[in-house]
Amino acid sequence: MSLALAPLDPRVEVEASLPCRKFDPDLWFSDSPTELELAKSLCGDCPLRVECLAGAVERAEPWGVWGGEIFERGAVVPRKRPRGRPRKEDLARDAALRVEAEARLAANGLAASRSAVRLAA
């Protein structure tokens, strides 16, 4: 059985405690990098964060925030870049954030190898 299909803990009041149910759902699918970072931060205390992330990885979600990670074209990205050519310091920060995103996925048992989850460059 996959982690995404594991039965929920019956003690969890699902609707009342999920941030994606409390706030505007469009926040999790925004084009604004700032709004996506807000959505990621709201996922931090979610009781279903790990299951949500596992399901998104299995489905290769095309976009949005799932389990506290940003997905773009089916890959986890450390942050959404604004339009235009990135600055050199942004590229360096993206490299550091990519390592951090890989560590978070590994901590949740979702990225034992790079082939398990594709991380966007």
Side-chain angles (χ1 to χ4, degrees):
M1 177 187 289
S2 74
L3 184 60
L5 300 177
L8 297 176
D9 183 344
R11 295 169 292 172
V12 175
E13 292 181 27
V14 176
E15 292 296 320
S17 60
L18 300 180
C20 57
R21 305 292 176 154
K22 290 184 197 176
F23 298 95
D24 182 7
D26 290 339
L27 182 64
W28 277 259
F29 298 96
S30 175
D31 286 330
S32 164
T34 305
E35 289 182 358
L36 291 176
E37 289 301 322
L38 174 60
K40 280 176 56 174
S41 70
L42 291 172
C43 290
D45 294 329
C46 181
L48 299 178
R49 186 181 60 79
V50 174
E51 292 86 350
C52 178
L53 179 58
V57 167
E58 286 180 17
R59 294 185 305 272
E61 281 294 336
W63 66 82
V65 174
W66 297 89
E69 298 292 340
I70 299 173
F71 282 75
E72 190 170 290
R73 292 186 217 110
V76 174
V77 295
R79 73 179 183 94
K80 174 125 175 142
R81 291 188 204 165
R83 290 184 174 202
R85 186 179 184 140
R87 296 178 177 175
K88 289 182 182 178
E89 60 266 14
D90 288 344
L91 293 174
R93 183 178 58 215
D94 284 352
L97 288 172
R98 194 173 307 112
V99 169
E100 184 182 321
E102 287 176 356
R104 285 194 307 267
L105 287 169
N108 288 313
L110 297 172
S113 70
R114 214 152 158 76
S115 63
V117 164
R118 186 171 61 95
L119 290 168

